[in-house]
Amino acid sequence: MNSNSNGFGSSGAVAATEYIRSHHRHETGGNQCSSAVVKRIKAPVPLVWSLVRRFDQPQKYKPFVSRCVAQGNLEIGSLREVDVKSGLPATTSTERLELLDDDEHILSIRIIGGDHRLKNYSSIVSLHPEIINGRAGTLVVESFVVDVPEGNTKDETCYFVEALIKCNLKSLADVSEGLAVQDRTEPINI
């Protein structure tokens, strides 16, 4: 698995590597690629988690999601139908909630259908407390595994998915940090 530590110092990179080893295990087949992206967010874990855990509302921070209709009670096996904004090589995605751990702050999803090229895609997001500039912050790690589409290389596929994840995590940081600046440090119920 590749990992992108986004320019952390050595202690941050060591922590991220340990989190990946502990929480981000993916079985990778011969025609699959896997990677992890790490992002520091200047907002406390409970606030960031209140956004990430909303399997039924990814559009609250994911800029490429235009609409989401969830089925079930936000439990393992729940499904969501996601509509993707134009500009991406996709229109819809059917996703299943694989893991929602409120104690460890881990969310895992698997894409099971839809109109896109991300076949056999699954991801894990974990949140970890960190002190950033003397304040409560969050280290977010998102990892994935996906089939390499015909006509693409593993490197091209990883680069594309990492770019999407980086955009989502930047948006998550922007939303979370904006709420934290407003002193909304308790979990929010959007």
Side-chain angles (χ1 to χ4, degrees):
M1 177 184 301
N2 297 327
S3 85
N4 179 338
S5 63
N6 289 340
F8 290 131
S10 61
S11 65
V14 169
T17 300
E18 185 55 39
Y19 296 139
I20 291 168
R21 188 176 299 125
S22 300
H23 303 295
H24 298 264
R25 296 186 194 106
H26 295 283
E27 296 290 327
T28 307
N31 192 38
Q32 292 186 311
C33 68
S34 182
S35 186
V37 178
V38 178
K39 177 76 174 165
R40 285 179 139 160
I41 298 179
K42 296 175 186 171
V45 169
L47 189 145
V48 179
W49 180 244
S50 70
L51 294 166
V52 171
R53 76 172 308 283
R54 293 305 304 260
F55 176 75
D56 59 334
Q57 295 183 358
Q59 68 275 24
K60 293 293 182 184
Y61 73 91
K62 291 186 175 186
F64 300 116
V65 174
S66 62
R67 184 175 80 94
C68 175
V69 177
Q71 305 163 8
N73 294 325
L74 291 184
E75 58 194 16
I76 300 207
S78 294
L79 298 177
R80 69 182 179 193
E81 295 288 331
V82 173
D83 291 340
V84 179
K85 291 182 180 176
S86 64
L88 289 178
T91 56
T92 63
S93 181
T94 304
E95 303 170 358
R96 181 176 58 225
L97 183 61
E98 298 286 305
L99 176 65
L100 179 64
D101 186 329
D102 284 315
D103 295 327
E104 295 290 324
H105 305 109
I106 302 171
L107 174 92
S108 178
I109 64 127
R110 177 175 302 279
I111 295 178
I112 59 171
D115 175 28
H116 53 75
R117 296 186 65 192
L118 298 178
K119 304 300 179 205
N120 293 313
Y121 179 92
S122 66
S123 72
I124 300 169
V125 179
S126 64
L127 277 56
H128 311 277
E130 185 174 75
I131 302 299
I132 302 172
N133 298 331
R135 299 192 65 161
T138 303
L139 182 72
V140 181
V141 180
E142 183 164 353
S143 64
F144 68 91
V145 63
V146 66
D147 288 357
V148 175
E150 190 173 321
N152 289 94
T153 67
K154 287 183 178 185
D155 285 346
E156 290 167 338
T157 303
C158 274
Y159 180 81
F160 172 74
V161 177
E162 286 171 357
L164 289 176
I165 290 172
K166 286 176 187 176
C167 189
N168 286 338
L169 294 181
K170 181 187 180 317
S171 180
L172 176 62
D174 291 345
V175 172
S176 300
E177 291 170 359
L179 292 169
V181 165
Q182 299 171 21
D183 278 333
R184 295 191 57 186
T185 58
E186 294 302 312
I188 56 172
N189 189 6
I190 301 176

